[in-house]
Amino acid sequence: MTWSATARGAHQPDNTAFTQQRLPAWQPLLSASITLPLFFCAGLAFIGLGLGLYYSSNAIKELGYDYTGNPGTGDCSLCGVADQDRAPPPSCRCAWNFSLPELFQGPVYLYYELTKFYQNNRRYGVSRDDAQLSGLQSALRHPVNECFPYQFSAKGVPIAPCGAIANSLFNDTFTLWHQRLPGGPYVEVPLDRTGIAWWTDYHIKFHNPPLVNGSLALAFKGTTRPPNWPVPVYQLSPDPNNTGFINQDFVVWMRTAALPWFRKLYARIRQGNYSAGLPRGNYRVNITYNYPVRAFDGHKRIILSNISWMGGKNPFLGIAYLVVGSLCILTGFVMLVVYIRYQDQNDEAEDQE
Amino acid sequence: MWRWVRQQLGFDPPHQSDTRTIYIANRFPLNGLYTPQKFIDNRIISSKYTVWNFVPKNLFEQFRRVANFYFLIIFLVQLMIDTPTSPITSGLPLFFVITVTAIKQGYEDWLRHNSDNEVNGAPVYVVRSGGLVKTRSKNIRVGDIVRIAKDEIFPADLVLLSSDRPDGSCHITTASLDGETNLKTHVAVPETTVLRTVANLDTLVAVIECQQPEADLYRFMGRMIITQQMEEIVRPLGPESLLLRGARLKNTKEIFGVAVYTGMETKMALNYKSKSQKRSTVEKSMNTFLIIYLIILISEAIISTILKYTWQTEEKWDEPWYNQKTEHQRNSSKILRFISDFLAFLVLYNFIIPISLYVTVEMQKFLGSFFIGWDLDLYHEESGQKAQVNTSDLNEELGQVEYVFTDKTGTLTENEMQFRECSINGIKYQEINGRLVSEGPTPDSSDGNLSYLSSFSHLNNLPHLTSSSSFGTSPENETQLIKEHDLFFKAVSLCHTVQISNVQTDGIGDGPWQASLAPSQLEYYASSPDEKALVEAAARIGVVFIGSYEETMEVKILGKLEQYKLLHILEFDSDRRRMSVIVQAPSGEKFLFAKGAESSILPTCIGGEIEKTRIHVDEFALKGLRTLCMAYRQLTSKEYEVINRRLFEARTALQQREEKLANAFQFIEKDLILLGATAVEDRLQDKVRETIEALRMAGIKVWVLTGDKHETAVSVSLSCGHFHRTMNILELINQKSDNECAEQLRQLARRITEDHVIQHGLVVDGTSLSLALREHEKLFMDVCRNCSAVLCCRMAPLQKAKVIRLIKISPEKPITLAVGDGANDVSMIQEAHVGIGIMGKEGRQAARNSDYAIARFKFLSKLLFVHGHFYYIRIATLVQYFFYKNVCFITPQFLYQFYCLFSQQTLYDSVYLTLYNICFTSLPILIYSLLEQHINPHVLQNKPTLYRDISKNRQLSMTNFLYWTILGFSHAFIFFFGSYFLMGKDTSLLGNGQMFGNWTFGSLVFTVMLITVTVKMALETHFWTWINHFVTWGSIIFYFVFSLFYGGILWPFSDSQNMYFVFFQLLSSGSVWFAIILMVVMCLFLDIVKKVFDRHFHPTNTEKAQLTETNSSIKCLDSMCCFSEGETACASVGRMLERVIGRCSPTHVSRLWSASDPFYTNDRSILTLSTMDSSTC
């Protein structure tokens, strides 16, 4: 008898909260009474943040100059005309003169900007060998197939660094000169060319191959430079910490941009007298014009900008916050009105019933 | 030769003859003319695969599914051409899905193999070469003589040769075959019954000729030709001598039988059939959506390809100096490039059709269906049965039902028969406390009679029951009545196939029943509950059936034992609707007792109070009682001779035996003298009225389909609330001709249109229905649709299925549900969209063939209104959400192509492409689709009208689908262009002036998308248990942790290090954080506004109901920490949370629970209809 009783109980489902689908649960409802305060609060918060962001972005100063050299656009047009053929074009020099009426708050960053340059083209983007760039010996001699047609030179020598990205390394150079007093001499403003690449890229991801007899050149023996480069990779800079694959310009370039217009950090101005910014006065940027962009209707710009905690000058965030915030409040009001009127109608309807 | 090939290929059936000839013990005739027939061995193979064919066969089967095939194609395309994503991105998920499915199927097959091996390897004893040989079950050949001991299961279909009883009978139970638990007696041919030892059996020379295997469990025809002393004796074999594989020997020490059907040809194996595939509406809409998405996918790919080539006409875009093509790329054919570009775009966008959708849906259905079995409200305590899910494919269909077709007996009623009344010789009696009381003029001195027959235990001492003054007053009447009663109750207690279980003794052969055995100790087993009720009633009255022993039936009439020789049983069949027995009374007289439906008995009667009885029967029927008429015929020995011969001929006939038997039966069952009628009550099940009422309020049309007679059916219909008193009941019965039927239908249609205020109920009977269905389907359907209740009586099983099919294919294509409990309901259960079996008294056949099996009809309301509603909401949201999240996922990818010259550059890294659906967004939706309760279950059950909110697949309507898709697109636009504008002129977003790259941009889009998609899920969730909290916030946290980890290491074996430290850099930017918040809020803003306005302007009934119950809800934090009722597994986490949050004191938990306890009690009084506001429906 007892046995049958337990047997019967054995079939009985467990009476637990889970099996009976009555786990304790919070059951929120998106009713107006909850969403209305939420909307107002969110709206106010967003407007507040928006204002903050907007002013923070507005405080950032940006100064730019298009030196593509389209005919009639100034000093660089001579160079621009020369740049009709494919790379490498003949070297050409031009300058950008500007004056600052007041202190350009530091630290100041020097960017170059390219447009209509598709670093995000897939064929371009895959044309690199990360193993080679990390200094792996085997990869140095045998670049991956993605690098083709910049994998081996015509003679069959492996190219280091291989691939289209490396081959198209931006090679214009800039120097900044400051004229303290009108008519005075131009003094070169020191440009800090370090710290422009991501720390991890520079220190970990990119490595030179191990030195042979203390010489980087020997380490790269048996490879050749990319066809567009005037110098091999180990001569990118005289500074041994900034040459080869860990040349910072190179590292910066190798981080391909998301959109067909992009800026890349060229240098930081933070040394000597210029650590607080660029003082007032006349300035000149001497440009070595090497990089051809007119072939694909591109533009080159040079930009001086200072930076806040949120980066460069971009009013989008502030405006967007303001818009969304106002929308929230507006919707809140509409809803409030609707809610009240609807409530009245409801009451009436109930009264009629 | 050619024939052999055709046979092997299955074109020709291997057996050409209609019969198989079996030489018992394989003793073939010695003359060489004989070519032995080949039979398969006794191996049962239920498994699908072998070790060798598992991989190819399983893969083949899996890739026959369209979705898998699609992904295989994508994968192959990726392998063949240069595509933007590595083949791993689609290969890995596909591999995962295929592997998981293969493992599951392999495991199931392994289990099947195991059970096959167990069955095939079971030891059996076979008589071979004069001795008993122990061998394995699979080695049994057709013709082997097998010995089965008590309580063993028959290893093959055997023809009984002998048992240890002298009469060669044995008892078996076929519970595992058809669920009938009663004991069945099977008998051997007299010539073989004496062969009770192996040695004796060895002398047997006999041949069995029988039909080829067929699936019908209850049909077997054959004959045994026994050669004895150079003489051939032919004996008929019927189902009563066939012991089916799977049945179990009972009450008998051992039997010998000869195997006639083996292995896959046994009736059990032939009855094993895979369930027909039913597809739910949700699945159908899912496929529609898939096609739409496929169109979107292909058009996106075409647009991209075309735009790519427009762009590429200019060389400066196609091949600028910094990005030159290879010779090979330049020289390849244009068309080929075009095609390969198209395919590449197809691969790039292929994630818009989510592979994980199928996996998730299947998991949801499989796991979700457990809740039905677990539900205590669907657990029937008396029988200890819980609800049973046979297929999880139809869970959501339970929420879509528009028509319920229900059987009456055993479904609406208990199928627990109680003898109530009888009419004997034109006088009506009622059974009150175990004695018969005459109705009509009630005798006033009734109290004096109460001592009689009042208690069973005193039965032996009782004087004759007719001494009760209830039966009459004058003594001379009394004797007359005694005789009539005698005969009536003898008929009742003899004309049946009831068995008696005797647990105390091993065999009935041990001795006659002891007289001291009180009737209360007798337990009757009957295949039909009516019979059982009648025999029990007769026992209470004093005519106790004690048992059948060999060919005699013993009846104790008021303590006096009488033995009747059972000469023949003319079994019940549903065409004749009656059964009879021919017995020889102790006096030597031979009687035929017949019992059957009044329509089948009365026309054959020539004597007795026919008219009065007919009136009584109608009266009984009006009360909702089931009636049976009893009649008898006294047979002279000459008549008996004729009968005996005809029966023998018919039974031994090999051809058209059934026809011949029917003729013989008709010949025998005539010229009967009516004894009277019995009325048995079949009690309504608990809460049937409320359930039907609730179904109707839910907008479900309830049809009752029954085999019962018209009056009974109507009265039950009325008593169970299917018909109302206020209803205008239309009748379409007894239609004889087509024209008449059409005319009647038109008339009914007119009446309905004239009078549309009143509700109409329609009664149709089987014959009229078949007429109506034959020619006037449309007219009939018009009438039916306008009736709120339809009752079909006198229905044959196939007619039930036909009615359902008719409704199914009617223009509205409604979803039908059939409920039934008996074997006669199987066809309708299988026909309906959803088949529900009631696990009742008439075996488990219905339950086994159903999609869901429940113990009681009343459980239907919870099954539909709560489980069905939940499952529907869950799966509908699941499907919509899946498409939504993949639109969100892929559209930015498409938009990005406009900015990368349609070069098929991916926005996200391959790992993210792969894991998005598998890891990052899979769990919240799965948990949602398992646990979501958008409204409290008890509200759903108390307000059946809420069921209308989800009718007609509303959640998956095109508008809803469009809303979700457009939402997905707009969200995708927000992610993409939000990030795009944030980049602006590509100013630095970092505090140190450094720049982001394309992977950072992609990560930003992906991060915003992941958060938005997850929070969107959170917005949909109304039921936040700790699990929901865990997976929702856990998914986001997991994404961040994973990304930091993935980006934090230079993966040694990966050739691309694109993502190295990208995510970390992304998060180190303040602007990005602000942008993420902004975009997420912007995305959800639209949706929230829409939800709030919807709720206020057109709230559905469900939403209204949600409002009324919010006060009982608990707080968010509580749901996170108070997650268990003291389950120890979670206690440590609970304590930790307690410390962290500091508000989860145990008292808090318990208070919370006690407060909600009455709310959740199991015996909630369901369906308190009075409180329901009918104004809302």
Side-chain angles (χ1 to χ4, degrees), chain B residues 162-170 193 196 251-256 506-507 510:
Chain B
S162 63
S163 74
D164 66 318
R165 299 187 203 168
D167 64 345
S169 72
C170 71
T193 53
R196 275 177 239 160
N251 284 353
T252 317
K253 252 189 204 136
E254 61 170 19
I255 62 116
F256 288 99
D506 268 346
D510 291 357

Side-chain angles (χ1 to χ4, degrees), chain B residues 618-653:
Chain B
D618 287 346
E619 285 173 11
F620 293 152
L622 270 181
K623 291 185 194 166
L625 303 174
R626 295 159 69 95
T627 58
L628 285 172
C629 288
M630 312 292 306
Y632 80 103
R633 174 183 174 192
Q634 196 163 0
L635 301 170
T636 63
S637 49
K638 211 168 126 199
E639 277 171 328
Y640 176 71
E641 282 302 305
V642 179
I643 288 170
N644 201 22
R645 209 185 58 241
R646 283 199 65 150
L647 273 178
F648 180 75
E649 274 168 17
R651 284 197 206 270
T652 47

Side-chain angles (χ1 to χ4, degrees), chain B residues 590-602:
Chain B
K590 293 189 177 73
F591 287 99
L592 174 124
F593 290 115
K595 178 177 79 176
E598 109 285 350
S599 60
S600 66
I601 293 284
L602 291 184

